[in-house]
Amino acid sequence: MPLADPHLSRFLAECTAPADSDASRTSSARPWSAWSAWSARNGFRVSTRHKLGCRMTDLGYRHEHGREGSFYPVRIIGEAPALAPP
């Protein structure tokens, strides 16, 4: 079992919400875009889209394939603020 990632867990808790319909699902590229911007602002190493997808799957966020592309059953709801300096 992979180790928990507290930074990814915080990002997902603060910046995503469950999709309430197929129309509110998020394309598979959007979580990585939001995650990479949040990570860079907070001084964390940005992982690849593939690695982020694997980590999200490990946390129970499985992407769905459809005729219109690949989606995660979440909405991006905002950006987490930068972490306070130590």
Side-chain angles (χ1 to χ4, degrees):
M1 177 166 213
L3 296 176
D5 182 336
H7 303 302
L8 178 58
S9 295
R10 176 175 174 227
F11 166 79
L12 291 170
E14 293 182 8
C15 297
T16 67
D20 50 9
S21 69
D22 283 350
S24 67
R25 297 176 303 171
T26 300
S27 75
S28 60
R30 185 93 194 279
W32 182 82
S33 179
W35 162 248
S36 64
W38 182 86
S39 294
R41 278 196 320 273
N42 287 293
F44 303 128
R45 193 175 129 233
V46 178
S47 59
T48 65
R49 276 179 64 178
H50 177 76
K51 189 173 229 177
L52 176 64
C54 290
R55 291 165 61 203
M56 287 181 67
T57 297
D58 290 343
L59 292 172
Y61 295 85
R62 297 199 181 272
H63 69 280
E64 304 163 351
H65 298 284
R67 289 180 299 202
E68 300 162 357
S70 295
F71 297 90
Y72 282 98
V74 298
R75 298 178 287 124
I76 302 297
I77 57 172
E79 295 184 20
L83 296 175

